[in-house]
Amino acid sequence: MRINKLLLTLALSTPALLPHLSYAGEVEVLHWWTSGGEAKAVQPLKFSLEKQGHTWKDFAVAGGGGETAMTVLKTRAVSGNPPSAAQIKGHDIQEWGSLGFLTNLDDVAAAGDWDAIVPKIVTDIMKFNGEYVAVPVNIHRVNWLWANPAVLKKAGVSVPTTLDEFFVVAEKIKSAGYLPLSNGVGSWQDATMFETIALSVLGTEGYTKAFVELDLEMLASDKMVEALVKFKKLRDYMDSDAPERQWYKATSMVANGEAAMQIMGDWAKGEFIALGKVPGKDFICAPAPGTAEQFTYNIDSFAFFDLKDSGDVDAQKALAAAILDKNFQETFNLKKGSLPARTDLDMSKFDQCSLDSLASFKMAERSGDLVPSVSQGMATTSYVQGAIFDVVTDFFNDPNADAKKTAKKLAKAVKAAI
């Protein structure tokens, strides 16, 4: 899987054409966008590169949370054969940068005026030592609740706005003979639900102390115990097949009326759209209960690796520029369900879910209620994230696990991973 230079073969009939001889490069792109909606969303980027004469080599590794992809990437990079770009985000960008694997994209950023068109909270994450080494694709809101309006109506309930309301609504849906909450396999999915419950219980300040500042007292606090108890209660409203299900299958259950609700980031909307569902009619998007004023963000991005072949470097820079191109930003995010990383796009083609998300982002940006997602690798290092995943998943899947002991275990696990 080496990155090789591909010669752009030209039929040269006269010496006058020789100055126009150029090399096309290959970009090998590692990502984990393999679900229906995700696969459709990434296609325009591939076409954009191919229009410029470059070759796109897809390096897709299945797995919604990206854990498998990161394992493969480490093996490739350490062996001296990294891809051109890889789907890396959050603190992992800093880690790869500190190891000397990433390349400087400042020339591309200056040409595209990235500092002016992308929110500072995003550009700060894309830089290592003040230099661009990664490019943002979008801004996801993680703390969403997705619901099937027909199922809610049959159960005689409305979309819950608080955690207490959620459990009352879930109980009524269950009594009416429907599955209240759909979920799938994977510690990242458990962590997505957990961080959402924790945000509701702890509030912005408590969440930040626990998962960004890694305050050990907050991690072992009574509030964390309360969050764990409420998180565990979600299990009462899920089905036994959840451990065998991918996240997008859980979304399709809500879309098809097999389940009432799902707690999941806005990439779920991409699946609803891919299934031909219409927001506001076939599905409802609402802030996760108790978190309407907060915005838990996940920023998909590609980090760019240091390459030696000049043709591939040219292709790599073309890819970096294409990611923040207006047309791609619009096309991709319409399909993916997320917000564009650019702030200067015409949003007239975006649906009400996206417009609500954008309004929430701006409001949270002003109020200080933008918080990085733990489950999506934005809040802390991969080592701390892994420790949190292990504790949270073990607790969620062990019917005899004690919340108070688990909170203390969580603090110890984080301390060991720092």
Short mmCIF file of all heavy atoms in Angstrom, two decimals, residues 348-372:
data_model
loop_
_atom_site.label_atom_id
_atom_site.label_comp_id
_atom_site.label_asym_id
_atom_site.label_seq_id
_atom_site.Cartn_x
_atom_site.Cartn_y
_atom_site.Cartn_z
N SER A 348 -29.03 28.27 2.69
CA SER A 348 -30.43 28.15 2.24
C SER A 348 -30.82 26.72 1.85
O SER A 348 -32.01 26.37 1.89
CB SER A 348 -30.67 29.08 1.05
OG SER A 348 -29.82 28.78 -0.04
N LYS A 349 -29.84 25.89 1.48
CA LYS A 349 -30.16 24.51 1.11
C LYS A 349 -30.22 23.56 2.31
O LYS A 349 -30.62 22.41 2.18
CB LYS A 349 -29.12 23.99 0.11
CG LYS A 349 -29.16 24.68 -1.24
CD LYS A 349 -28.15 24.07 -2.20
CE LYS A 349 -28.16 24.77 -3.54
NZ LYS A 349 -27.14 24.20 -4.47
N PHE A 350 -29.82 24.05 3.48
CA PHE A 350 -29.78 23.20 4.66
C PHE A 350 -31.14 23.17 5.35
O PHE A 350 -31.88 24.16 5.35
CB PHE A 350 -28.70 23.69 5.63
CG PHE A 350 -27.30 23.38 5.16
CD1 PHE A 350 -26.68 24.17 4.18
CD2 PHE A 350 -26.61 22.29 5.67
CE1 PHE A 350 -25.40 23.88 3.74
CE2 PHE A 350 -25.33 21.99 5.23
CZ PHE A 350 -24.72 22.78 4.26
N ASP A 351 -31.46 22.02 5.94
CA ASP A 351 -32.77 21.84 6.56
C ASP A 351 -32.81 22.48 7.96
O ASP A 351 -31.83 23.01 8.45
CB ASP A 351 -33.14 20.36 6.63
CG ASP A 351 -32.13 19.52 7.40
OD1 ASP A 351 -31.63 19.98 8.43
OD2 ASP A 351 -31.82 18.40 6.95
N GLN A 352 -33.99 22.39 8.57
CA GLN A 352 -34.20 23.05 9.87
C GLN A 352 -33.31 22.45 10.96
O GLN A 352 -32.90 23.17 11.88
CB GLN A 352 -35.67 22.96 10.27
CG GLN A 352 -36.05 23.92 11.39
CD GLN A 352 -35.79 25.37 11.03
OE1 GLN A 352 -36.15 25.82 9.94
NE2 GLN A 352 -35.13 26.10 11.93
N CYS A 353 -33.01 21.16 10.88
CA CYS A 353 -32.12 20.55 11.87
C CYS A 353 -30.75 21.24 11.85
O CYS A 353 -30.18 21.56 12.90
CB CYS A 353 -31.94 19.05 11.60
SG CYS A 353 -33.41 18.05 11.87
N SER A 354 -30.23 21.46 10.65
CA SER A 354 -28.93 22.12 10.52
C SER A 354 -29.00 23.58 10.97
O SER A 354 -28.08 24.08 11.62
CB SER A 354 -28.44 22.05 9.08
OG SER A 354 -28.09 20.72 8.73
N LEU A 355 -30.07 24.26 10.60
CA LEU A 355 -30.22 25.66 10.99
C LEU A 355 -30.34 25.79 12.51
O LEU A 355 -29.77 26.71 13.12
CB LEU A 355 -31.43 26.28 10.30
CG LEU A 355 -31.36 26.35 8.77
CD1 LEU A 355 -32.63 26.96 8.19
CD2 LEU A 355 -30.13 27.13 8.31
N ASP A 356 -31.06 24.85 13.13
CA ASP A 356 -31.16 24.84 14.59
C ASP A 356 -29.79 24.58 15.22
O ASP A 356 -29.42 25.18 16.23
CB ASP A 356 -32.15 23.77 15.06
CG ASP A 356 -33.60 24.14 14.75
OD1 ASP A 356 -33.86 25.32 14.41
OD2 ASP A 356 -34.46 23.26 14.85
N SER A 357 -29.06 23.67 14.60
CA SER A 357 -27.73 23.33 15.10
C SER A 357 -26.79 24.53 15.01
O SER A 357 -26.03 24.83 15.94
CB SER A 357 -27.15 22.15 14.30
OG SER A 357 -25.91 21.75 14.82
N LEU A 358 -26.85 25.24 13.88
CA LEU A 358 -26.01 26.43 13.70
C LEU A 358 -26.35 27.50 14.73
O LEU A 358 -25.45 28.12 15.32
CB LEU A 358 -26.17 26.98 12.29
CG LEU A 358 -25.36 28.23 11.95
CD1 LEU A 358 -23.87 27.97 12.12
CD2 LEU A 358 -25.67 28.70 10.52
N ALA A 359 -27.65 27.72 14.96
CA ALA A 359 -28.07 28.70 15.96
C ALA A 359 -27.58 28.30 17.35
O ALA A 359 -27.13 29.15 18.13
CB ALA A 359 -29.59 28.82 15.95
N SER A 360 -27.63 27.00 17.64
CA SER A 360 -27.17 26.51 18.94
C SER A 360 -25.66 26.68 19.09
O SER A 360 -25.17 27.02 20.17
CB SER A 360 -27.54 25.03 19.11
OG SER A 360 -28.95 24.87 19.16
N PHE A 361 -24.94 26.43 18.00
CA PHE A 361 -23.48 26.60 18.02
C PHE A 361 -23.12 28.05 18.34
O PHE A 361 -22.27 28.32 19.20
CB PHE A 361 -22.88 26.18 16.68
CG PHE A 361 -21.38 26.36 16.60
CD1 PHE A 361 -20.53 25.38 17.06
CD2 PHE A 361 -20.83 27.53 16.07
CE1 PHE A 361 -19.14 25.54 17.00
CE2 PHE A 361 -19.45 27.70 16.01
CZ PHE A 361 -18.61 26.70 16.47
N LYS A 362 -23.75 28.98 17.65
CA LYS A 362 -23.46 30.39 17.85
C LYS A 362 -23.82 30.83 19.27
O LYS A 362 -23.09 31.61 19.91
CB LYS A 362 -24.20 31.23 16.81
CG LYS A 362 -23.67 31.06 15.39
CD LYS A 362 -24.45 31.90 14.41
CE LYS A 362 -23.89 31.78 13.00
NZ LYS A 362 -24.66 32.59 12.01
N MET A 363 -24.97 30.35 19.76
CA MET A 363 -25.40 30.69 21.11
C MET A 363 -24.43 30.15 22.15
O MET A 363 -24.04 30.86 23.09
CB MET A 363 -26.81 30.14 21.37
CG MET A 363 -27.35 30.45 22.77
SD MET A 363 -28.98 29.71 23.04
CE MET A 363 -28.56 27.95 23.09
N ALA A 364 -24.03 28.88 21.97
CA ALA A 364 -23.11 28.26 22.93
C ALA A 364 -21.72 28.89 22.85
O ALA A 364 -21.02 28.99 23.86
CB ALA A 364 -23.03 26.76 22.66
N GLU A 365 -21.33 29.32 21.65
CA GLU A 365 -20.04 29.99 21.48
C GLU A 365 -20.01 31.29 22.29
O GLU A 365 -19.01 31.62 22.93
CB GLU A 365 -19.80 30.27 20.00
CG GLU A 365 -18.40 30.74 19.65
CD GLU A 365 -18.20 30.89 18.16
OE1 GLU A 365 -19.20 31.17 17.44
OE2 GLU A 365 -17.06 30.73 17.69
N ARG A 366 -21.15 32.01 22.29
CA ARG A 366 -21.24 33.27 23.03
C ARG A 366 -21.31 33.04 24.54
O ARG A 366 -20.74 33.79 25.32
CB ARG A 366 -22.46 34.07 22.57
CG ARG A 366 -22.35 34.65 21.17
CD ARG A 366 -23.47 35.64 20.91
NE ARG A 366 -24.79 35.02 21.01
CZ ARG A 366 -25.45 34.50 19.99
NH1 ARG A 366 -24.91 34.49 18.78
NH2 ARG A 366 -26.66 33.97 20.16
N SER A 367 -22.02 32.00 24.95
CA SER A 367 -22.28 31.76 26.37
C SER A 367 -21.19 30.95 27.07
O SER A 367 -21.19 30.82 28.29
CB SER A 367 -23.62 31.05 26.55
OG SER A 367 -23.58 29.74 25.99
N GLY A 368 -20.28 30.35 26.28
CA GLY A 368 -19.26 29.50 26.87
C GLY A 368 -19.72 28.08 27.09
O GLY A 368 -19.11 27.33 27.86
N ASP A 369 -20.81 27.69 26.40
CA ASP A 369 -21.36 26.35 26.56
C ASP A 369 -21.00 25.41 25.42
O ASP A 369 -21.67 24.39 25.23
CB ASP A 369 -22.89 26.43 26.71
CG ASP A 369 -23.31 26.99 28.06
OD1 ASP A 369 -22.89 26.41 29.09
OD2 ASP A 369 -24.03 28.00 28.10
N LEU A 370 -19.95 25.75 24.66
CA LEU A 370 -19.40 24.80 23.70
C LEU A 370 -18.48 23.85 24.45
O LEU A 370 -17.53 24.28 25.10
CB LEU A 370 -18.57 25.53 22.64
CG LEU A 370 -19.29 26.22 21.48
CD1 LEU A 370 -18.28 26.94 20.60
CD2 LEU A 370 -20.09 25.22 20.66
N VAL A 371 -18.76 22.55 24.39
CA VAL A 371 -17.91 21.59 25.10
C VAL A 371 -17.45 20.50 24.14
O VAL A 371 -18.20 20.06 23.27
CB VAL A 371 -18.65 20.94 26.30
CG1 VAL A 371 -18.98 21.99 27.35
CG2 VAL A 371 -19.92 20.23 25.86
N PRO A 372 -16.21 20.06 24.26
CA PRO A 372 -15.68 19.02 23.37
C PRO A 372 -16.19 17.63 23.76
O PRO A 372 -16.35 17.32 24.94
CB PRO A 372 -14.17 19.12 23.56
CG PRO A 372 -14.02 19.65 24.97
CD PRO A 372 -15.18 20.56 25.19
#
